[in-house]
Amino acid sequence: ARLNLDPGAELLGGFALPIEHALLDAIATIAAAAPFRHLETPGGRRMSVAMTNAGRLGWVSDRLGYRYDPTDPLTGQAWPVMPALFAALARNAAAAAGYDGFAPEACLINRYEPGARLTLHQDRDERNLDQPIVSVSLGVDARFLWGGLARSDRTRRIALHHGDVVVWGGPARLVFHGINTLAASTHALTGGLRYNLTFRQAT
Ligand code: MD3
Ligand code: FE
């Protein structure tokens, strides 16, 4: 089912379900080469969400700031290649939401344990803001916080379930958003964990 959440934001409910096992297998393969780690914010705080990346570029944070980097700082190696399955899913989801030719360079993989959260933020580290961001939720349900173009705008809460894909573009591209503290819960395929893939064209 396709649901317009707001101008520019399309929720494709269950879009990733047909390939749920393949996606989770690919995450495990990526994490074997580029382990999940808790990055440090520029302000020196340890993020509660653990992250890794696949693709030509990966999103990283440290005391110097946020950036896209072709090298994993933990291993000194290039990030694992983006699986063809990931790129195809992102491309097909973007097309279903009206964005043809989406070719992501970066896939950030977020892993939430119970208690992990992502505070309200904008995604503005990408050079090309005309391109959408595609996000894929797997595992335990989350409450997504969705605000406006100012940090102080009121937020809505939207449930994101296993297999949901959201395409964020146009007027929705710079909205403030976050993830509420993950509740202790269980999913048959991921145990207590939630994963989120975000696909971006960074340059
Ligand atoms: C709305 N991730 O990695 S996905 C992030 O579930 C991030 O891990 C969350 O926010 C997560 O930056 C939320 C939904 C999402 C992703 C990017 C967006 C919503 C967005 C960019 C612009 C507007
Ligand atoms: Fe974000």
mmCIF file with all atom_site columns, all heavy atoms in Angstrom, residues 181-193:
data_model
loop_
_atom_site.group_PDB
_atom_site.id
_atom_site.type_symbol
_atom_site.label_atom_id
_atom_site.label_alt_id
_atom_site.label_comp_id
_atom_site.label_asym_id
_atom_site.label_entity_id
_atom_site.label_seq_id
_atom_site.pdbx_PDB_ins_code
_atom_site.Cartn_x
_atom_site.Cartn_y
_atom_site.Cartn_z
_atom_site.occupancy
_atom_site.B_iso_or_equiv
_atom_site.pdbx_formal_charge
_atom_site.auth_seq_id
_atom_site.auth_comp_id
_atom_site.auth_asym_id
_atom_site.auth_atom_id
_atom_site.pdbx_PDB_model_num
ATOM 1  N N   . THR A 1 181 ? 12.883 6.367   21.643 1.00 0.00 ? 181 THR A N   1
ATOM 2  C CA  . THR A 1 181 ? 13.560 5.278   22.343 1.00 0.00 ? 181 THR A CA  1
ATOM 3  C C   . THR A 1 181 ? 12.917 3.934   22.002 1.00 0.00 ? 181 THR A C   1
ATOM 4  O O   . THR A 1 181 ? 11.707 3.766   22.165 1.00 0.00 ? 181 THR A O   1
ATOM 5  C CB  . THR A 1 181 ? 13.462 5.531   23.855 1.00 0.00 ? 181 THR A CB  1
ATOM 6  O OG1 . THR A 1 181 ? 13.954 6.846   24.108 1.00 0.00 ? 181 THR A OG1 1
ATOM 7  C CG2 . THR A 1 181 ? 14.267 4.516   24.641 1.00 0.00 ? 181 THR A CG2 1
ATOM 8  N N   . LEU A 1 182 ? 13.721 2.992   21.512 1.00 0.00 ? 182 LEU A N   1
ATOM 9  C CA  . LEU A 1 182 ? 13.175 1.693   21.094 1.00 0.00 ? 182 LEU A CA  1
ATOM 10 C C   . LEU A 1 182 ? 12.724 0.914   22.331 1.00 0.00 ? 182 LEU A C   1
ATOM 11 O O   . LEU A 1 182 ? 13.488 0.753   23.285 1.00 0.00 ? 182 LEU A O   1
ATOM 12 C CB  . LEU A 1 182 ? 14.214 0.886   20.313 1.00 0.00 ? 182 LEU A CB  1
ATOM 13 C CG  . LEU A 1 182 ? 13.611 -0.285  19.522 1.00 0.00 ? 182 LEU A CG  1
ATOM 14 C CD1 . LEU A 1 182 ? 12.936 0.226   18.256 1.00 0.00 ? 182 LEU A CD1 1
ATOM 15 C CD2 . LEU A 1 182 ? 14.668 -1.328  19.163 1.00 0.00 ? 182 LEU A CD2 1
ATOM 16 N N   . ALA A 1 183 ? 11.488 0.428   22.264 1.00 0.00 ? 183 ALA A N   1
ATOM 17 C CA  . ALA A 1 183 ? 10.950 -0.374  23.369 1.00 0.00 ? 183 ALA A CA  1
ATOM 18 C C   . ALA A 1 183 ? 11.555 -1.770  23.340 1.00 0.00 ? 183 ALA A C   1
ATOM 19 O O   . ALA A 1 183 ? 11.972 -2.259  22.283 1.00 0.00 ? 183 ALA A O   1
ATOM 20 C CB  . ALA A 1 183 ? 9.430  -0.455  23.236 1.00 0.00 ? 183 ALA A CB  1
ATOM 21 N N   . ALA A 1 184 ? 11.580 -2.418  24.503 1.00 0.00 ? 184 ALA A N   1
ATOM 22 C CA  . ALA A 1 184 ? 11.991 -3.826  24.568 1.00 0.00 ? 184 ALA A CA  1
ATOM 23 C C   . ALA A 1 184 ? 10.873 -4.649  23.955 1.00 0.00 ? 184 ALA A C   1
ATOM 24 O O   . ALA A 1 184 ? 9.725  -4.590  24.400 1.00 0.00 ? 184 ALA A O   1
ATOM 25 C CB  . ALA A 1 184 ? 12.232 -4.229  26.015 1.00 0.00 ? 184 ALA A CB  1
ATOM 26 N N   . SER A 1 185 ? 11.185 -5.374  22.891 1.00 0.00 ? 185 SER A N   1
ATOM 27 C CA  . SER A 1 185 ? 10.180 -6.121  22.148 1.00 0.00 ? 185 SER A CA  1
ATOM 28 C C   . SER A 1 185 ? 10.917 -7.189  21.343 1.00 0.00 ? 185 SER A C   1
ATOM 29 O O   . SER A 1 185 ? 12.146 -7.199  21.315 1.00 0.00 ? 185 SER A O   1
ATOM 30 C CB  . SER A 1 185 ? 9.426  -5.157  21.231 1.00 0.00 ? 185 SER A CB  1
ATOM 31 O OG  . SER A 1 185 ? 8.496  -5.839  20.438 1.00 0.00 ? 185 SER A OG  1
ATOM 32 N N   . THR A 1 186 ? 10.172 -8.069  20.704 1.00 0.00 ? 186 THR A N   1
ATOM 33 C CA  . THR A 1 186 ? 10.834 -9.138  19.953 1.00 0.00 ? 186 THR A CA  1
ATOM 34 C C   . THR A 1 186 ? 10.234 -9.263  18.565 1.00 0.00 ? 186 THR A C   1
ATOM 35 O O   . THR A 1 186 ? 9.020  -9.168  18.399 1.00 0.00 ? 186 THR A O   1
ATOM 36 C CB  . THR A 1 186 ? 10.660 -10.498 20.676 1.00 0.00 ? 186 THR A CB  1
ATOM 37 O OG1 . THR A 1 186 ? 10.935 -10.321 22.055 1.00 0.00 ? 186 THR A OG1 1
ATOM 38 C CG2 . THR A 1 186 ? 11.611 -11.532 20.108 1.00 0.00 ? 186 THR A CG2 1
ATOM 39 N N   . HIS A 1 187 ? 11.100 -9.449  17.588 1.00 0.00 ? 187 HIS A N   1
ATOM 40 C CA  . HIS A 1 187 ? 10.664 -9.765  16.234 1.00 0.00 ? 187 HIS A CA  1
ATOM 41 C C   . HIS A 1 187 ? 11.227 -11.124 15.862 1.00 0.00 ? 187 HIS A C   1
ATOM 42 O O   . HIS A 1 187 ? 12.375 -11.436 16.199 1.00 0.00 ? 187 HIS A O   1
ATOM 43 C CB  . HIS A 1 187 ? 11.159 -8.685  15.252 1.00 0.00 ? 187 HIS A CB  1
ATOM 44 C CG  . HIS A 1 187 ? 10.623 -8.883  13.869 1.00 0.00 ? 187 HIS A CG  1
ATOM 45 N ND1 . HIS A 1 187 ? 11.203 -9.749  12.967 1.00 0.00 ? 187 HIS A ND1 1
ATOM 46 C CD2 . HIS A 1 187 ? 9.545  -8.354  13.250 1.00 0.00 ? 187 HIS A CD2 1
ATOM 47 C CE1 . HIS A 1 187 ? 10.500 -9.719  11.843 1.00 0.00 ? 187 HIS A CE1 1
ATOM 48 N NE2 . HIS A 1 187 ? 9.489  -8.878  11.995 1.00 0.00 ? 187 HIS A NE2 1
ATOM 49 N N   . ALA A 1 188 ? 10.425 -11.914 15.147 1.00 0.00 ? 188 ALA A N   1
ATOM 50 C CA  . ALA A 1 188 ? 10.817 -13.296 14.845 1.00 0.00 ? 188 ALA A CA  1
ATOM 51 C C   . ALA A 1 188 ? 12.165 -13.375 14.122 1.00 0.00 ? 188 ALA A C   1
ATOM 52 O O   . ALA A 1 188 ? 12.916 -14.330 14.311 1.00 0.00 ? 188 ALA A O   1
ATOM 53 C CB  . ALA A 1 188 ? 9.730  -13.961 13.997 1.00 0.00 ? 188 ALA A CB  1
ATOM 54 N N   . LEU A 1 189 ? 12.496 -12.381 13.290 1.00 0.00 ? 189 LEU A N   1
ATOM 55 C CA  . LEU A 1 189 ? 13.712 -12.472 12.476 1.00 0.00 ? 189 LEU A CA  1
ATOM 56 C C   . LEU A 1 189 ? 14.912 -11.738 13.069 1.00 0.00 ? 189 LEU A C   1
ATOM 57 O O   . LEU A 1 189 ? 16.043 -11.980 12.659 1.00 0.00 ? 189 LEU A O   1
ATOM 58 C CB  . LEU A 1 189 ? 13.450 -11.933 11.061 1.00 0.00 ? 189 LEU A CB  1
ATOM 59 C CG  . LEU A 1 189 ? 12.400 -12.684 10.243 1.00 0.00 ? 189 LEU A CG  1
ATOM 60 C CD1 . LEU A 1 189 ? 12.310 -12.102 8.838  1.00 0.00 ? 189 LEU A CD1 1
ATOM 61 C CD2 . LEU A 1 189 ? 12.718 -14.175 10.180 1.00 0.00 ? 189 LEU A CD2 1
ATOM 62 N N   . THR A 1 190 ? 14.685 -10.802 13.985 1.00 0.00 ? 190 THR A N   1
ATOM 63 C CA  . THR A 1 190 ? 15.808 -9.982  14.476 1.00 0.00 ? 190 THR A CA  1
ATOM 64 C C   . THR A 1 190 ? 15.947 -9.994  15.993 1.00 0.00 ? 190 THR A C   1
ATOM 65 O O   . THR A 1 190 ? 16.797 -9.281  16.536 1.00 0.00 ? 190 THR A O   1
ATOM 66 C CB  . THR A 1 190 ? 15.640 -8.510  14.029 1.00 0.00 ? 190 THR A CB  1
ATOM 67 O OG1 . THR A 1 190 ? 14.489 -7.973  14.693 1.00 0.00 ? 190 THR A OG1 1
ATOM 68 C CG2 . THR A 1 190 ? 15.477 -8.386  12.528 1.00 0.00 ? 190 THR A CG2 1
ATOM 69 N N   . GLY A 1 191 ? 15.123 -10.777 16.684 1.00 0.00 ? 191 GLY A N   1
ATOM 70 C CA  . GLY A 1 191 ? 15.163 -10.753 18.150 1.00 0.00 ? 191 GLY A CA  1
ATOM 71 C C   . GLY A 1 191 ? 14.735 -9.387  18.646 1.00 0.00 ? 191 GLY A C   1
ATOM 72 O O   . GLY A 1 191 ? 13.723 -8.844  18.222 1.00 0.00 ? 191 GLY A O   1
ATOM 73 N N   . GLY A 1 192 ? 15.538 -8.775  19.513 1.00 0.00 ? 192 GLY A N   1
ATOM 74 C CA  . GLY A 1 192 ? 15.160 -7.486  20.096 1.00 0.00 ? 192 GLY A CA  1
ATOM 75 C C   . GLY A 1 192 ? 15.576 -6.285  19.276 1.00 0.00 ? 192 GLY A C   1
ATOM 76 O O   . GLY A 1 192 ? 15.411 -5.149  19.718 1.00 0.00 ? 192 GLY A O   1
ATOM 77 N N   . LEU A 1 193 ? 16.117 -6.511  18.093 1.00 0.00 ? 193 LEU A N   1
ATOM 78 C CA  . LEU A 1 193 ? 16.752 -5.423  17.347 1.00 0.00 ? 193 LEU A CA  1
ATOM 79 C C   . LEU A 1 193 ? 15.860 -4.830  16.260 1.00 0.00 ? 193 LEU A C   1
ATOM 80 O O   . LEU A 1 193 ? 14.986 -5.491  15.717 1.00 0.00 ? 193 LEU A O   1
ATOM 81 C CB  . LEU A 1 193 ? 18.034 -5.918  16.684 1.00 0.00 ? 193 LEU A CB  1
ATOM 82 C CG  . LEU A 1 193 ? 19.089 -6.514  17.622 1.00 0.00 ? 193 LEU A CG  1
ATOM 83 C CD1 . LEU A 1 193 ? 20.263 -7.055  16.812 1.00 0.00 ? 193 LEU A CD1 1
ATOM 84 C CD2 . LEU A 1 193 ? 19.565 -5.464  18.624 1.00 0.00 ? 193 LEU A CD2 1
#
